[in-house]
Structure formats: structure tokens, C-alpha cells
Amino acid sequence: MALGRTLGVAMLGMTGHVIEVEAHLAASIPGFTLVGLPDAALAESRDRVRAAVTSSKIGWPQRRITVNLSPASLPKAGSGFDLAIAIAVIAGAEEFDPARVAGVVHLGELGLDGRLHPVRGVLPAVAAAVAAGRPRVVVPAANAAEARLVPGAIVIAATSLAEVAYSYGAQIPEPRPAAPVVAVVQARTGPPAVDLAEVLGQLQARAALEVAAAGGHHLLMVGPPGAGKTMLAARLPGLLPDLTDVEAVEVTSVHSVAGTFDPGGGLLRRPPFEDPHHTATPAAVVGGGSGIPRPGAASRAHRGVLFMDEAPEFSPRVLETLRQPMEHGELVLHRAGGTARYPARFQLVLAANPCPCGKAVGKGLECTCQPMARRRYWARLSGPLLDRVDLQVEVHPASRAEIDGASGESSAVVAVRVAAARQAQADRLAGTPWRTNSEVPGHWIRSALGADRSLLVDLDRALDRGLLSLRGVDRVLRVAWTLADLAGLAAPTRAEIGRGLLFRTRGQVAA
């Protein structure tokens, strides 16, 4: 009887758990059993490991092999355990001293020729190993740059199983360096390289975009086709400041798990931009899939922008799934294969036409839609969803004077004001768990305003008329704080609250 031990990491959402991989070799009928709640991809590792070991000129032990992934009650998924299983089996066969690998974390998928293939989620996996006091980590060469982003990690890059086994003292010919397997990275949608100066006119919409960027607020733009809604939304990421170190690690970890991170450029420092098509399913937007749920567009847009063009064309099921992350900034996905928790603190930007034909602007004389068709169209955007959107503006076609006039401010100029407002929020919210005005709860905002009820006269009137809910009142106050930050004021006045109310109600309060 012989026993080999090493370590791996199981990912449940963004949380990594260090797993002890044990290989027991008994003198019995040859066989290979894998236990410890593996999924289908992990259960298939038996064949990959056997082929990789023999291809590496290492003798396969003709004994009864039982590999246990402990703790056995924790679900394990993916092919990232291949290398750990192979090393545990080779250590159990006493090809080298088993003590040399007992405290080392091994991550990687094995090819049948013994080469190491990259896997997803290396960044959070290595971070979990370091946090558990296991800083020594062996990863495929294609994942080395990503693994080295974790402070305190001792990363060993390898291209093949033979290279790893030889480094531990296995009695095999010195392996030649194998050509590293290139990581296949899905195309990640980055912020478009566009400038706000390219947008002609639209002073109100530009102002709303600046407020949204300064306070992290959700935004709805309603207007006819060609008015510039998509152009404005595409320019929002260019107004946002760079991610902090903590935010960069969060965002990069999400994209690492999703398989959309290219480690060649280091941590992701710019806010991400996701714009799913209106045919996207709930699983594609909020995450899901078989086994352990994977992150969707909402989580990939964490600390960035989630743009939903032609919002009423999205399935109502998709839109309603966004209500929870809009409030709490995270997604908790429960599936039969396990529960995963992903961050989802995104800025939602919705763009919509006023009706199916898109011509119901002004008096709507050119609109050809029936009243019932208009109601059905807007019923796709439910009241509870719109109640969570801080800024709601109408985007009208640019006039001839605006087209012939001077161009507006550039993204760089507006970004300076946005950065100053963000800094004011950071100073005011220091020592709290919140970073922007959009995250602050209503009771904190009201207590910060003091007992002066004269500031809230307009809000009380809108509440009595049914134009606002209690949640809507809190969101108007958040926008008012952002307007005050942009103006350099210590606190919002009645004027800022009035402007926030107009942004919220699309001018209905003035009617």
C-alpha cells in the first residue's frame, strides 16, 4: 500500500477552496477510481491522466488506484485537477519522495501527450491558495503571467507533466521543453475608443451621462431612432475613472473565471463594457449553465457598464433578473450542481424607443402605433425595474442649430469633473462600505441632510402625486448629492434636489 498527497483548488463562484488530492495505491486488480463529488469533466480526468503519465515515459502503476478529493462533500468541477491527480498518483508510486509535493498546489489540464493546458480562474484560485498559507503553486506556462499577479505567490510555470515530475526527482530522461499551449481567450468586449465630443447637441442627455458617471447611477434614455442614444451610452466608460487596486483584482478575477481575461496586459484597469444582444437568455446575462454556475454579462460588467440597447426588445425574464443585482451589487446563483456568488456592481444603461415605430416624440403626430401597442411595448419595462433607475431622460433629435454649432466638451474634459466628484464621494464615505452615491442607503442620506424639511418640499409633493415611490425619493436624493459633488458643494440644496427630481421623472413633475 502507498499513498501520495498534493493540493488543488476548487472554485465555487469567486470563492476558492484548497483541496487535498490523495492517491491510494493498493495491491489488487488494476483499476482507477475517482471520488469526492467530481463533475463529468473532472471524472474524465482518469483517462487523460493515464495517457499523460505514459506519454511522459513514467510507468503507470499496475495497482488498484483510488483518488480522493477532500473534503468529499464539496462539489468539484472542471479539468484543473488533472495535474494534481497525476502528481499524487506518481508520488504514491514512489517515483519521487511524496513529501516534496504534499504542500504544493498544482493547477492545470493535461493533454494526452503530457502537455499542460491552461485553465480558467487561475487568478482567484492562486489567491485562495496564498490566503490558505500555500503560496507555492505550479501552473501551466500559459497561466503563469496571470498567477504572478497575486502578491506573495511563488509561481512555478511548466509546459508538461514530465517537466514537473522531473523537477521533483522522477527517474526519467530530462525532458525537452515542450511548446506551451496557448490560452484560448474569448473575445472580451472592451470600452469603445470613442469621444463625447463626437456627439452633436443633446445637452440634457450629456448632462445626465456626466451625472451617471460621477455617481455610478443607472440611466434610461428614451428617444427616436438616430437621436444618439447608443452613441452616448458607448461613451460612458470613457468618463469613468480607472479602477482602484481592489476593484482591478475583483474585475480581473471575474473575467478569469469567465475565460475572457488575457493575462498579457496585467490586471484590468479600465471599467468593463458589456452590451448583450436583445436575444440573450437569462443565463447569458446573469450567469448559469450546467454544474457550477458561470458568470454572465452582469458580472462581467462589474465596476463597469452594462448597456442594453433596445431594452423593450429584451425578454421580460431577462430584465427582471437584474432587479436584485441593481439593489445589492451581487448575484447569488443557485443550481443543482452548487451555489455561486458573483459580484455585479454595474451601471445599467437602458436605451429605448418611445414606441414600436419610434416616432412618438413631441406630440407624436407621425406615430402609426395603436395605443394598445404602445402600452404593450412599455409594459416590457416593469414598474419595479424602472423604479430602480436613477436617471430617466428623453433624447430628442438634434436641431439644425445644434448640428451647425460648435462641438461639445470632450470625454477628457468631462472625465476630470467626474474624477473630482468621485474623490469628493470617497472623502465623504471614508470609513463606510460604500464608494459612490448610488450605493448609499436612504437612511444615511437623509441623516446627512439634517432636519431641514424645507429641502424636501418638492419631493413630498411628487410623492403625494404618485410620481415617486419611497425608493424613488431616496434615489432622487442620491442624484442630488452627485449634482452637489459636481458643483463643489458640501451638501445638496433645494436646487440640486429639484434637478434630480426632473432627471428622475423625465419632466413630469413640471406638468
Side-chain angles (χ1 to χ4, degrees), residues 118-500:
V119 292
R120 299 180 179 185
V122 165
L123 178 62
V126 174
V130 173
R134 303 293 185 178
R136 194 174 180 84
V137 184
V138 179
V139 300
N143 289 130
E146 179 181 350
R148 291 190 176 107
L149 295 174
V150 180
I154 304 172
V155 179
I156 303 168
T159 59
S160 66
L161 173 62
E163 183 181 338
V164 178
Y166 183 81
S167 68
Y168 290 134
Q171 299 301 311
I172 59 175
E174 182 176 359
R176 296 179 179 179
V181 180
V182 179
V184 178
V185 180
Q186 298 177 5
R188 183 176 65 86
T189 305
V194 289
D195 196 284
L196 191 59
E198 300 166 359
V199 179
L200 300 177
Q202 306 298 355
L203 295 181
Q204 183 185 19
R206 291 168 66 100
L209 201 70
E210 181 176 346
V211 174
H217 303 288
H218 305 304
L219 173 64
L220 166 67
M221 294 182 287
V222 181
K229 303 184 296 294
T230 303
M231 287 185 67
L232 288 162
R235 282 146 182 81
L236 177 57
L239 307 182
L240 300 176
D242 289 341
L243 302 175
T244 65
D245 291 341
V246 174
E247 293 170 343
V249 171
E250 290 178 355
V251 172
T252 306
S253 297
V254 171
H255 284 270
S256 176
V257 173
T260 57
F261 170 58
D262 183 359
L267 292 174
L268 300 178
R269 292 291 182 179
R270 290 298 302 157
F273 180 82
E274 294 285 335
D275 54 345
H277 192 259
H278 64 259
T279 56
T281 63
V285 174
V286 300
S290 60
I292 303 298
R294 297 267 295 281
S299 293
R300 297 196 303 271
H302 178 60
R303 299 296 176 188
V305 177
L306 177 62
F307 176 46
M308 306 188 81
D309 201 4
E310 305 295 343
E313 300 297 337
F314 280 82
S315 165
R317 290 183 59 225
V318 172
L319 296 172
E320 295 307 306
T321 57
L322 297 175
R323 285 161 53 179
Q324 180 209 12
M326 289 173 69
E327 285 285 337
H328 304 295
E330 70 172 2
L331 279 162
V332 183
L333 305 175
H334 296 269
R335 298 293 186 272
T339 301
R341 186 182 298 268
Y342 293 109
R345 181 70 66 183
F346 54 82
Q347 280 187 252
L348 178 64
V349 179
L350 302 173
N353 293 325
C355 65
C357 77
K359 297 180 180 179
V361 293
K363 295 183 179 180
L365 299 179
E366 298 182 4
C367 178
T368 59
C369 301
Q370 296 294 328
M372 183 59 68
R374 290 193 197 182
R375 284 197 291 269
R376 280 198 300 264
Y377 186 73
W378 274 101
R380 289 174 172 266
L381 301 180
S382 68
L385 175 68
L386 293 179
D387 200 39
R388 290 167 166 82
V389 180
D390 303 345
L391 302 167
Q392 303 180 20
V393 296
E394 293 186 352
V395 182
H396 297 282
S399 65
R400 183 62 179 269
E402 291 175 326
I403 295 175
D404 295 337
S407 61
E409 294 177 317
S410 68
S411 295
V413 173
V414 178
V416 171
R417 294 198 296 268
V418 169
R422 287 285 183 108
Q423 186 58 51
Q425 294 166 52
D427 296 339
R428 182 172 61 252
L429 301 176
T432 71
W434 315 300
R435 304 181 187 183
T436 60
N437 289 330
S438 63
E439 304 173 30
V440 180
H443 67 85
W444 193 94
I445 294 177
R446 289 189 293 272
S447 64
L449 283 175
D452 187 2
R453 292 294 303 177
S454 64
L455 294 174
L456 307 180
V457 171
D458 295 332
L459 292 183
D460 292 340
R461 186 180 300 116
L463 187 62
D464 292 339
R465 293 176 58 188
L467 295 176
L468 287 179
S469 65
L470 289 175
R471 180 195 287 125
V473 170
D474 290 341
R475 293 190 174 274
V476 169
L477 292 176
R478 291 170 183 159
V479 173
W481 271 105
T482 301
L483 290 168
D485 292 331
L486 286 169
L489 302 177
T493 65
R494 186 174 175 181
E496 280 72 43
I497 294 177
R499 284 190 65 196

Side-chain angles (χ1 to χ4, degrees), residues 69-119:
L69 308 176
S70 178
S73 59
L74 189 71
K76 292 92 179 174
S79 57
F81 286 93
D82 287 5
L83 179 59
I85 293 172
I87 291 298
V89 170
I90 297 171
E94 298 181 346
E95 294 287 342
F96 49 75
D97 183 6
R100 298 191 62 181
V101 299
V104 182
V105 176
H106 294 85
L107 304 172
E109 176 185 334
L110 288 173
L112 301 185
D113 58 356
R115 288 192 301 166
L116 284 177
H117 294 247
V119 292

